[in-house]
């Protein structure tokens, strides 16, 4: 197994003092899968005070000492944790207390999944008490020991199991899956921030479509807005899936970027709330607005940042816009939401189309490509889409004798709108002339 020099040095120092030490957890799992590790954790039978003594010539941070962790500054930060046994988890998240042990086996018994319970040292090689290597080869997510006990200790492990299934493309072992479904309600005990972080990683997994479809009842615990979507038939010639199935298929058709995946996950949440039907079939007039409102509600509840919530809800609001393939229409779109968002919107439109009835997909994709071409062309022309690019400003209007009130802003915005529509040149004389006309109209 590849270990960075600073990790080998960390293990060597502990070994030289007579202690056992191993790399453990995700770094070992990733290495066995042929992937680069993001970070490295070290576990040892040395007690925290003994770890600090071993690294007295280095900077040591002891804020995790109560739980057996000392952070040592080598070339990078290294978390070194004493072998430990966790006590009861009364809050379904943290052990009430920990006790230290000299046994690596006892330490690995407290870990979540077999694939994360493998240890490695340059001297001893892989130490695999729970057949994690076999589960990696067979692409299986399995808890260490009793699944219900592991999930009752820390309910976030329920989402972690599904996240690993999504990101790694692994299957979930039968008893582990049964415990997930049985104990899903324990997710109510987990903080919104942790759920948002874990679920976002899940949404961005290569197998997210499958996991979302198969385990929707788990996600309904913290996003109950999904419930009306499940099995809701669209009865529409443009669609071959129910609302939730369409959502999952469209999500799988877009790149694994958090904002885009969240948009696809929430873009049709409003459909069941505005369904109507006539001789032409089912309709969902105005669902984009309801979906945008639901997106804001969900993301606010999950404590997403304001900027993230605004970006997702704005794109959801505009996802169903019908934009003619003309420069004027694309120019108006860029004026309304900005060029970066317009580019994202086209990706959303493409994924949405790929999850609809196949008959018109090619035509829809060609239309979206033409909108993208026009947007790139317009953006390259460095046109005026913002007030600060108008060749006239508020001071100029005041100099014309206009009152210092809201009429100034209204006139400037109207001038900008007409410049964007190309019905007015962005030239000072033309702008002044038009401003004088508008002051008697607005």
């Amino acid at each position: 197994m590849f270990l960075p020099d600073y990790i080998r040095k960390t293990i060597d120092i502990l070994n030289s003092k007579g202690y056992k030490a191993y790399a453990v957890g995700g770094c070992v799992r990733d290495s066995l899968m042929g992937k680069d590790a993001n970070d490295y954790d070290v576990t040892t039978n040395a007690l925290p005070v003994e770890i600090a003594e071993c690294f007295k010539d280095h900077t040591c941070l002891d804020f995790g000492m109560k739980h057996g962790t000392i952070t040592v500054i080598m070339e990078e930060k290294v978390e070194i944790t004493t072998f430990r046994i966790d006590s009861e988890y009364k809050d379904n998240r943290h052990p009430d207390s920990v006790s230290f042990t000299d046994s690596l086996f006892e330490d690995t018994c407290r870990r979540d999944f077999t694939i994360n319970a493998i240890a490695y040292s340059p001297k001893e090689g892989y130490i695999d008490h729970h057949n994690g290597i076999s589960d990696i080869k067979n692409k299986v997510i399995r808890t260490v020991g009793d699944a219900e006990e592991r999930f009752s200790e820390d309910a976030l492990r329920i989402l972690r199991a599904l996240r690993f299934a999504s990101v790694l493309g692994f299957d979930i072992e039968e008893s582990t899956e049964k415990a997930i479904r049985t104990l899903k309600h324990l997710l109510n005990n987990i903080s919104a921030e942790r759920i948002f972080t874990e679920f976002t990683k899940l949404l961005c997994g290569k197998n997210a479509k499958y996991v979302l479809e198969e385990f929707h009842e788990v996600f309904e615990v913290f996003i109950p807005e999904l419930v009306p979507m499940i099995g809701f038939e669209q009865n529409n010639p443009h669609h071959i899936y129910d609302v939730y199935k369409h959502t999952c298929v469209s999500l799988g058709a877009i790149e694994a970027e958090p904002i885009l995946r969240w948009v696809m996950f929430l873009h049709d949440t409003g459909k069941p709330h505005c369904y109507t039907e006539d001789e032409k079939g089912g309709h969902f007039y105005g669902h984009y607005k309801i979906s945008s409102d639901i997106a804001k509600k969900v993301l606010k509840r999950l404590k997403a940042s304001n900027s993230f919530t605004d970006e997702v809800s704005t794109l959801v609001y505009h996802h169903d816009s019908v934009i003619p393939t003309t420069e004027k229409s694309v120019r108006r779109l860029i004026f309304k939401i900005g060029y970066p968002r317009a580019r994202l919107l086209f990706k959303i439109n493409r994924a949405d189309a790929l999850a609809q009835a196949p008959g018109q997909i090619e035509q829809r994709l060609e239309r979206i490509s033409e909108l993208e071409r026009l947007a790139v062309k317009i953006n390259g022309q460095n046109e005026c889409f913002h007030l600060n690019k108008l060749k006239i400003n508020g001071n100029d209007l005041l100099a014309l004798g206009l009152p210092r009130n809201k009429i100034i802003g209204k006139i400037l915005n109207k001038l900008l709108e007409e410049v964007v529509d190309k019905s007015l040149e962005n030239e000072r004389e033309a702008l002044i002339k038009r401003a004088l006309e508008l002051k008697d109209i607005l």
Side-chain angles (χ1 to χ4, degrees):
M1 173 180 171
F2 169 78
L3 291 176
D5 289 341
Y6 70 93
I7 296 296
R8 287 184 175 272
K9 183 178 178 181
T10 299
I11 293 174
D12 287 344
I13 289 173
L14 288 163
N15 289 162
S16 70
K17 302 295 184 180
Y19 301 109
K20 297 176 182 179
Y22 307 87
V24 69
C27 62
V28 182
R29 177 199 70 228
D30 289 345
S31 176
L32 286 165
M33 294 179 64
K35 299 167 62 177
D36 293 333
N38 291 324
D39 53 56
Y40 292 82
D41 293 323
V42 173
T43 188
T44 178
N45 63 338
L47 296 172
V49 291
E50 295 170 332
I51 296 171
E53 177 63 23
C54 289
F55 294 92
K56 61 184 179 182
D57 294 331
H58 298 75
T59 299
C60 294
L61 309 175
D62 61 1
F63 45 78
M65 193 169 186
K66 181 174 71 171
H67 298 290
T69 300
I70 299 291
T71 301
V72 179
I73 310 300
M74 303 293 283
E75 291 176 25
E76 297 187 30
K77 289 182 180 179
V78 183
E79 287 191 355
I80 307 173
T81 303
T82 303
F83 299 160
R84 75 186 204 196
I85 301 171
D86 295 340
S87 67
E88 187 179 0
Y89 289 67
K90 290 181 180 178
D91 64 355
N92 303 123
R93 184 68 188 102
H94 304 97
D96 294 349
S97 63
V98 300
S99 57
F100 302 129
T101 176
D102 194 48
S103 168
L104 174 63
F105 172 72
E106 288 185 328
D107 179 84
T108 58
C109 284
R110 71 178 176 81
R111 296 180 182 271
D112 53 6
F113 308 111
T114 60
I115 64 173
N116 295 333
I118 309 165
Y120 174 86
S121 79
K123 290 183 178 180
E124 300 178 53
Y126 293 103
I127 311 296
D128 182 18
H129 291 297
H130 306 283
N131 297 315
I133 293 176
S134 174
D135 283 341
I136 288 174
K137 288 179 180 177
N138 293 318
K139 297 185 176 182
V140 172
I141 304 296
R142 184 195 315 269
T143 58
V144 173
D146 183 77
E148 290 200 9
E149 185 177 345
R150 291 289 84 77
F151 293 140
S152 295
E153 289 170 345
D154 181 356
L156 188 64
R157 289 171 174 167
I158 293 171
L159 268 189
R160 280 173 59 81
L162 297 176
R163 187 251 289 184
F164 283 126
S166 174
V167 172
L168 302 178
F170 283 18
D171 293 323
I172 297 180
E173 178 269 333
E174 185 178 355
S175 64
T176 303
E177 177 179 340
K178 182 179 178 182
I180 286 171
R181 297 187 190 278
T182 299
L183 300 176
K184 62 183 184 293
H185 64 279
L186 294 180
L187 287 169
N188 288 313
N189 299 333
I190 303 301
S191 72
E193 294 90 344
R194 288 184 178 275
I195 285 178
F196 174 74
T197 298
E198 202 67 39
F199 188 62
T200 299
K201 293 176 183 177
L202 185 159
L203 288 180
C204 292
K206 62 184 179 182
N207 209 28
K209 172 185 170 293
Y210 169 80
V211 173
L212 290 171
E213 286 186 58
E214 291 298 311
F215 294 91
H216 61 81
E217 72 270 25
V218 177
F219 312 126
E220 290 166 14
V221 172
F222 53 90
I223 308 180
E225 290 83 358
L226 299 180
V227 176
M229 300 166 64
I230 311 300
F232 196 104
E233 296 296 339
Q234 305 202 57
N235 301 317
N236 186 302
H238 300 298
H239 288 280
I240 56 174
Y241 304 120
D242 66 53
V243 174
Y244 189 70
K245 173 79 171 178
H246 163 78
T247 293
C248 297
V249 174
S250 67
L251 182 142
I254 204 164
E255 65 191 74
E257 196 280 328
I259 285 175
L260 294 176
R261 287 288 172 103
W262 268 106
V263 170
M264 300 320 299
F265 187 64
L266 298 171
H267 79 284
D268 277 351
T269 48
K271 276 190 169 181
H273 304 283
C274 59
Y275 180 74
T276 59
E277 190 172 330
D278 59 23
E279 65 280 357
K280 295 182 179 179
H283 303 282
F284 302 94
Y285 299 120
H287 80 274
Y288 63 92
K289 185 180 187 307
I290 299 173
S291 296
S292 180
D293 291 341
I294 290 174
K296 289 178 186 176
K297 180 181 177 181
V298 169
L299 292 171
K300 183 177 180 180
R301 186 171 65 240
L302 294 180
K303 306 295 180 64
S305 69
N306 290 338
S307 59
F308 189 92
T309 300
D310 178 66
E311 192 72 7
V312 170
S313 60
T314 298
L315 289 167
V316 169
Y317 186 90
H318 290 283
H319 85 273
D320 201 42
S321 300
V322 178
I323 308 163
T325 51
T326 64
E327 286 197 21
K328 183 176 182 179
S329 296
V330 174
R331 198 177 289 110
R332 282 182 174 179
L333 177 69
I334 294 173
F335 171 54
K336 188 180 296 184
I337 66 173
Y339 179 70
R341 277 181 175 168
R343 294 301 303 273
L344 293 179
L345 187 62
F346 299 141
K347 293 181 179 183
I348 291 159
N349 294 155
R350 183 173 284 108
D352 202 3
L354 289 169
Q356 295 177 8
Q360 300 176 4
I361 286 181
E362 187 174 345
Q363 181 180 347
R364 293 187 189 115
L365 296 181
E366 288 177 358
R367 182 175 166 279
I368 294 166
S369 294
E370 176 61 12
L371 290 172
E372 284 184 312
R373 186 191 70 78
L374 290 171
V376 171
K377 176 185 175 182
I378 291 166
N379 185 63
Q381 294 171 344
N382 195 29
E383 296 188 19
C384 175
F385 288 104
H386 302 283
L387 289 174
N388 59 12
K389 284 197 172 184
L390 272 182
K391 294 183 178 178
I392 192 174
N393 57 38
N395 290 330
D396 295 317
L397 297 185
L398 290 172
L400 293 173
L402 273 69
R404 190 184 293 273
N405 57 30
K406 291 182 180 180
I407 190 68
I408 297 288
K410 289 181 179 180
I411 289 175
L412 288 173
N413 282 307
K414 181 62 177 175
L415 292 174
L416 178 59
E417 183 180 330
E418 293 182 5
V419 167
V420 168
D421 279 348
K422 293 290 187 180
S423 61
L424 178 65
E425 288 293 321
N426 187 22
E427 296 296 339
R428 183 177 173 79
E429 289 185 9
L431 292 168
I432 288 175
K433 179 181 178 182
R434 180 58 176 154
L436 291 172
E437 294 172 354
L438 289 171
K439 75 179 179 66
D440 297 322
I441 302 173
L442 298 177

